[in-house]
Amino acid sequence: MNTENLHTKQDFQNLMLELLNPLKPFYSEGRAGIHLGVTSTNYDEKAILMEAFSRPLWALVPFYAGGGREDWFADAYRRGLVSGTNPQSEEYWGNPGEYDQRFVEMAAMAYALLFAPETFWEPLTASEQDGLADYLYTINDHEIPCCNWQMFRVLVNIALKKVGKRYSPKRLEESLALTESYYRGDGWYQDGDSGQKDYYVPFAIHFYSLVYARAMEQEDPERCRLFRDRAMLFAKQFIYWFDEDGEALPFGRSLTYRFAQVSFFSACLLAGIEPFPVPVMKGLIVRHLRYWLSQPIFDRDNVLTIGYAYPNLVMAEKYNGPGSAYWSMKTFAFLLLPDEHPFWTAEAAPMPELADTCPMPYADMLVRRYPHHVTAYAPGVYSPNGHGQIVSKYGKFAYDTKFGFSVAKSCYELYENCPDSMLAFFIDGYCYVRRICEESEIRENEVWSRWSPYPGIMVETTVVPLPEGHKRIHRIESAVSCEAYDCGFSVAANLSDEFSREESGRMSQVANKRMACRVEALGDGGEGVIITADPNTNVLYAKTLLPAVRYTIRPGVQVLETLVTATV
C-alpha cells in the first residue's frame, strides 16, 4: 500500500479508497451487509454483517462531506441503509434488543446524517427516510451499557434532530449527564462503570464529544466549549502514548482497531481545535498511518484482519468480528476539512518537545519517553469484568511501543503463559501473576502497587523508571515455598530478526538487530533464564524469547530487586 506520498487532500482520499475498495466484492446484494469471514462474536450474524457495513462510513462520511467524489460507495450505502432498516427486506438488520450491538453501529449512520446528508439522506424517498429514522430511534427504547455507548445515543438523537425527525430530548440529556459523570480530571474520563482508562477515552468519548462540538455549536455552545477545552487538556498527556516513529502504546482492549489510535487528533481537526500546531498533528497522523500500513495486517484479499500487528485471534475480544477492524477508519475524520485548510499544505512536522516523564494519575499510569520508544508503567487498575485477555492487557508492570506485550494461551506452563513484564509465581504446575492490585499510587517518578497472586502471598511492587529501562522492587510476604520469575519484555526472535540470547549467572538477555532486553537480579540470589514463548502470544511479533530472572521464594518476608534494561 502506497503511503510515501501523504501530503495533499487527494493523497489521503486515494489512500482511504485504497483501503475500502477491496471490500466491494463482499457486499450483499441489497448492500446492507458485508460478509468478510466466518469467525463469530457474542452478537448475532445479522449484527456482524451490519457492523461490517457501517464501519467504513467513519471514512466515507468525511470523504463526501469534504468534497470527495465516488459513485459506487454512495449508491451502495443509500441502498444498504434502506434495505437494512426495512422489515420487509431479506437484509433487514433485525429488531434491536437490550444492550444490542446494533446501537454501536448506529453511531456511524448518525455521523452520515450529521455531516453528509446530501449523500446519505436527501436522495432517499420520504418513506425510506422514515424507515431509517424510525430504526435509529429505537436506541431510545432500550437500555444500553453505562460506558462510551451513551454517546451513541447522543449522536443518534442530535442527528435525528438535525434532519427534522422525532428524537428524544430526555434520553439525549440523560446520556450527556451520564457521560459527564465519567469525567475524572486533566481531560481524562473513565469508560463508564468499568472504571477503565484506555483507548476508549480518545477514540470514543473524546471523539464523539468533538463530533458533538462540531455539530451542536449553535444549539449548545457552552457544552461544546467544555468538550473542546477538555480535549485540549487531554491531548497534552495523550501525545505521550506515541513515540517519535508514530507507533502507539499497545495497551488495553480493542487493539484490533489499530490506527484508530490516532483518530483523536483527527477529531480535534474536525472540531477546529489545535492542541498542537497543525504540522505537528499532521506529522503524527502521517507517521502513524505509515507504520500501520507497513505491517502485515491485511489478508490475501487486502481486507483488514482481527489482530494487532499481524492476524491474531489469541488476543481478540469476544466482540471482535470480521468487520470490526474498520473502526480504524475514524482516523480519516480530517477528510472533512475544506480544501483551503492549512492541513493540506502543511509539511509533516516531528513530535514537539516533551518531558522525559509524564505522571498521569487520572489515567493510572506513568509514561517515560526513551530514544525511539515509549514505556507506560501501570499499577494494574481495571475492571474485573473483562472481554478477553484482560490481565495481559491491563495488569503488566510495563507496556512499550516497540516491545509490545504478550497474551497468555494458558496458565499451565511459563511458555504458554508468557508473563512478560510480570512477576510470575509458579506453584504446583500453575502460573500466577498480578491480576488486579488492591492498592496503588502513581508517584512523581515511580509506580507502587499492592497485590496478591495467590492465597498466602502478598506483594508490594515499586517500579522506578531509569534512563535505559526500569528497576522493580518487590517486597514479598509468603506463606508458601515456590519459584517466581521476574520477566522483562519479549523480544522478536524469528531467524530474520538475527537474534542472540545469553543466560549468565543472575542475568539473561535477548537481542536482535533492532532491540534488546536485559534482566538482572541486583541482590543475592536469582538465576538468569530465557523462556521460549509460544508463537503468536506477543501482539507485535509472532515469535519471541522472554528474558527473566528466576527466584526461590521461601516462607517469610523477602525483598527482590530486578533491573530491566530495554534499548531500541
Side-chain angles (χ1 to χ4, degrees):
M1 193 158 290
N2 180 20
T3 59
E4 285 305 309
N5 296 317
L6 287 181
H7 182 69
T8 68
K9 192 173 195 177
Q10 188 68 55
D11 294 336
F12 288 100
Q13 289 176 334
N14 291 343
L15 175 62
M16 185 276 293
L17 290 172
E18 191 175 356
L19 287 165
L20 294 186
N21 281 335
L23 300 178
K24 290 179 179 178
F26 304 105
Y27 281 79
S28 59
E29 184 178 352
R31 302 292 190 254
I34 313 178
H35 190 276
L36 296 177
V38 297
T39 56
S40 195
T41 65
N42 61 320
Y43 41 93
D44 61 79
E45 181 67 23
K46 284 280 190 180
I48 290 174
L49 296 173
M50 178 188 181
E51 175 189 66
F53 164 86
S54 73
R55 298 203 168 183
L57 282 169
W58 290 113
L60 290 168
V61 169
F63 169 77
Y64 290 116
R69 295 291 178 264
E70 202 279 352
D71 293 335
W72 194 95
F73 282 115
D75 177 70
Y77 276 86
R78 286 191 290 266
R79 291 175 58 192
L81 289 169
V82 172
S83 57
T85 56
N86 179 3
Q88 308 307 314
S89 168
E90 291 184 3
E91 298 194 11
Y92 178 57
W93 290 322
N95 296 329
E98 308 304 305
Y99 306 101
D100 202 305
Q101 179 70 23
R102 291 164 178 80
F103 301 137
V104 179
E105 309 317 322
M106 287 181 183
M109 301 171 199
Y111 196 51
L113 269 56
L114 284 169
F115 296 127
E118 66 285 345
T119 300
F120 299 104
W121 175 257
E122 292 168 9
L124 305 185
T125 66
S127 62
E128 291 169 343
Q129 289 177 349
D130 288 343
L132 174 55
D134 289 345
Y135 194 81
L136 293 177
Y137 186 86
T138 60
I139 198 170
N140 296 309
D141 298 329
H142 298 277
E143 293 304 312
I144 59 176
C146 295
C147 63
N148 69 89
W149 282 43
Q150 293 296 320
M151 290 302 291
F152 302 146
R153 180 178 280 158
V154 169
L155 295 189
V156 166
N157 276 293
I158 63 172
L160 290 173
K161 178 181 179 180
K162 289 284 188 178
V163 297
K165 292 298 182 180
R166 178 176 62 123
Y167 75 103
S168 174
K170 179 175 181 291
R171 286 296 210 177
L172 172 59
E173 287 302 321
E174 286 175 353
S175 288
L176 284 167
L178 199 52
T179 303
E180 177 64 25
S181 73
Y182 306 154
Y183 187 70
R184 301 188 74 213
D186 286 347
W188 283 92
Y189 293 81
Q190 64 182 36
D191 189 22
D193 55 12
S194 75
Q196 289 173 187
K197 282 76 62 176
D198 50 31
Y199 279 107
Y200 279 91
V201 179
F203 67 37
I205 295 176
H206 271 297
F207 188 98
Y208 306 135
S209 296
L210 291 171
V211 168
Y212 185 96
R214 168 74 183 245
M216 297 292 287
E217 180 65 42
Q218 299 301 315
E219 297 92 333
D220 193 3
E222 186 58 28
R223 183 178 277 128
C224 292
R225 181 197 60 77
L226 180 66
F227 286 160
R228 288 188 172 100
D229 289 347
R230 286 181 179 171
M232 292 286 286
L233 271 178
F234 177 75
K236 303 301 183 184
Q237 291 195 356
F238 182 53
I239 198 167
Y240 279 84
W241 285 36
F242 297 83
D243 66 26
E244 61 195 69
D245 300 318
E247 297 174 51
L249 282 172
F251 173 77
R253 64 211 156 109
S254 296
L255 292 177
T256 199
Y257 301 159
R258 297 185 175 103
F259 45 94
Q261 291 167 327
V262 83
S263 64
F264 164 78
F265 292 101
S266 302
C268 287
L269 291 163
L270 177 146
I273 60 173
E274 298 180 17
F276 300 98
V278 168
V280 170
M281 290 195 286
K282 184 172 185 176
L284 180 56
I285 291 168
V286 167
R287 289 189 298 275
H288 190 70
L289 286 171
R290 282 178 177 160
Y291 164 73
W292 274 116
L293 298 179
S294 70
Q295 304 305 306
I297 59 177
F298 301 93
D299 65 16
R300 292 179 181 177
D301 295 314
N302 289 317
V303 171
L304 282 170
T305 56
I306 299 170
Y308 194 60
Y310 59 93
N312 188 346
L313 286 175
V314 177
M315 51 76 67
E317 288 92 14
K318 61 187 178 183
Y319 55 83
N320 290 167
S324 295
Y326 285 89
W327 180 287
S328 59
M329 304 311 288
K330 284 182 170 184
T331 295
F332 288 96
F334 58 81
L335 289 179
L336 185 144
L337 299 175
D339 294 350
E340 63 274 13
H341 194 281
F343 183 85
W344 305 119
T345 54
E347 294 295 330
M351 291 284 276
E353 290 293 324
L354 298 170
D356 288 340
T357 304
C358 182
M360 301 181 185
Y362 291 109
D364 299 308
M365 182 179 287
L366 174 68
V367 178
R368 175 68 184 251
R369 301 187 67 80
Y370 299 95
H372 306 295
H373 68 119
V374 169
T375 306
Y377 299 100
V381 176
Y382 55 92
S383 167
N385 302 315
H387 298 283
Q389 300 289 6
I390 197 162
V391 173
S392 297
K393 292 171 183 176
Y394 296 93
K396 296 180 187 285
F397 301 135
Y399 295 85
D400 191 271
T401 57
K402 290 295 197 294
F403 291 93
F405 69 89
S406 298
V407 294
K409 283 190 173 179
S410 83
C411 60
Y412 294 117
E413 301 287 351
L414 283 167
Y415 56 82
E416 291 183 343
N417 191 263
C418 196
D420 56 349
S421 296
M422 292 277 211
L423 179 64
F425 293 81
F426 201 65
I427 305 171
D428 296 332
Y430 287 82
C431 188
Y432 298 90
V433 297
R434 182 176 71 177
R435 294 176 63 85
I436 297 178
C437 70
E438 298 183 6
E439 298 178 75
S440 68
E441 188 175 345
I442 305 296
R443 298 167 180 166
E444 191 64 26
N445 196 41
E446 63 183 33
V447 175
W448 174 85
S449 64
R450 185 171 183 269
W451 53 284
S452 176
Y454 184 83
I457 301 177
M458 182 60 66
V459 185
E460 291 185 34
T461 295
T462 303
V463 178
V464 184
L466 299 171
E468 288 191 336
H470 63 277
K471 181 170 69 172
R472 305 174 189 166
I473 305 166
H474 307 288
R475 183 186 184 275
I476 302 170
E477 186 173 350
S478 180
V480 299
S481 297
C482 61
E483 289 183 335
Y485 294 76
D486 210 358
C487 304
F489 292 112
S490 296
V491 178
N494 277 307
L495 289 176
S496 60
D497 295 310
E498 301 174 16
F499 67 92
S500 63
R501 52 184 294 166
E502 180 182 0
E503 298 163 296
S504 177
R506 299 197 301 270
M507 180 277 296
S508 66
Q509 175 175 287
V510 180
N512 62 31
K513 60 187 179 183
R514 300 183 303 278
M515 63 190 67
C517 183
R518 173 188 173 101
V519 185
E520 180 179 3
L522 296 181
D524 295 333
E527 176 189 4
V529 297
I530 293 175
I531 300 165
T532 301
D534 262 18
N536 309 317
T537 46
N538 189 272
V539 298
L540 291 181
Y541 312 109
K543 195 167 186 177
T544 61
L545 293 172
L546 175 57
V549 172
R550 177 171 56 214
Y551 294 101
T552 298
I553 306 299
R554 300 180 179 87
V557 176
Q558 64 193 103
V559 177
L560 310 178
E561 292 195 19
T562 307
L563 178 66
V564 178
T565 305
T567 55
V568 174

